[in-house]
């Protein structure tokens, strides 16, 4: 069912084929999972970021309850961090935050994040990596 939904999403975007061809030389090709083009992943990740309520604590540009996506990505790019591993509870937090904030995010990881598939977490991570391109 999920595969079908993703397939329809691709069809709807009508960009899978053309994008995949032009991306084969791109060093980011390794980020493309399954049949989804980079654009489709960013699109899906953006949607999941709202649907899964990440957006309530993480604004793209401004730090609110949690650090902004921009701030998180600055640290993850510099430290070569793995967002999917963090979201699965397999990696320590690396963004500067208070103990209360760290505890808050850990509650998410032990709770509702368990219901998000690896593919979806991958799409969320790809969206976060490209957030600046979307907000220009
Ligand atoms: C209830 C508020 C809340 C929600 C909802 C939330 N977060 Fe967070 N998140 C935080 C806070 C606070 C921090 C800072 C503590 C930390 O770095 O662990 C954080 C940190 C992070 C970090 C950086 C971790 C690090 O290395 O320090 C990532 C990545 C992240 N969140 C992703 C997400 C994603 C993806 C979602 C949605 C699936 C989400 N968060 C939902 C509050 C939230």
């Amino acid at each position: 069912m999920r595969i079908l939904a993703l397939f329809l999403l691709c069809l709807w975007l009508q960009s899978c084929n053309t994008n995949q061809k032009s991306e084969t030389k791109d060093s980011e090709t390794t980020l493309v999972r399954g049949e989804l083009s980079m654009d489709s992943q960013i699109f899906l990740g953006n949607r999941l970021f709202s649907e899964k309520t990440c957006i309530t604590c993480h604004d793209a540009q401004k730090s609110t309850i949690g650090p902004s996506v921009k701030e998180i990505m600055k640290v993850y790019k510099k430290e070569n961090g793995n967002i999917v591993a963090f979201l699965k509870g397999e990696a320590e937090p690396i963004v500067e935050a208070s103990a209360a904030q760290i505890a808050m995010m850990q509650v998410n990881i032990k709770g509702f994040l368990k219901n998000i598939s690896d593919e979806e977490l991958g799409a969320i991570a790809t969206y976060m990596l490209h957030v600046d391109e979307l907000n220009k």
Side-chain angles (χ1 to χ4, degrees):
M1 199 54 209
R2 177 174 295 146
I3 304 244
L4 180 66
L6 292 180
F7 178 68
L8 290 174
L9 176 76
C10 275
L11 274 186
W12 180 67
L13 287 172
Q14 293 196 326
S15 63
C16 282
N17 282 334
T18 42
N19 276 339
Q20 259 163 11
K21 259 179 226 130
S22 63
E23 268 168 16
T24 39
K25 280 186 234 92
D26 198 307
S27 61
E28 287 176 323
T29 311
T30 45
L31 280 171
V32 179
R33 291 165 179 85
E35 298 297 312
L36 280 185
S37 72
M38 183 61 73
D39 283 353
S40 311
Q41 274 208 55
I42 296 172
F43 179 87
L44 177 67
N46 192 0
R47 211 191 68 197
L48 289 168
F49 204 78
S50 301
E51 258 175 26
K52 307 291 181 187
T53 74
C54 318
I55 196 94
T56 55
C57 295
H58 298 290
D59 182 68
Q61 306 288 336
K62 266 197 343 241
S63 290
T64 54
I65 300 167
S68 66
V69 177
K70 197 177 168 169
E71 193 185 327
I72 293 173
M73 290 325 296
K74 208 170 87 192
V75 177
Y76 271 78
K77 280 178 190 163
K78 189 159 157 262
E79 308 287 333
N80 203 13
N82 183 334
I83 290 196
V84 173
F86 170 75
L87 295 174
K88 290 175 78 171
E90 292 164 2
E92 296 295 318
I94 55 175
V95 177
E96 213 180 292
S98 69
Q101 283 182 306
I102 289 172
M104 188 189 285
M105 190 60 205
Q106 291 302 315
V107 167
N108 296 338
I109 290 172
K110 294 192 184 91
F112 76 94
L113 271 150
K114 291 247 183 291
N115 300 321
I116 306 181
S117 71
D118 286 5
E119 287 77 18
E120 288 174 323
L121 292 180
I124 289 175
T126 305
Y127 155 71
M128 291 179 78
L129 188 63
H130 291 269
V131 74
D132 273 341
E133 291 160 39
L134 293 179
N135 287 286
K136 260 184 193 142

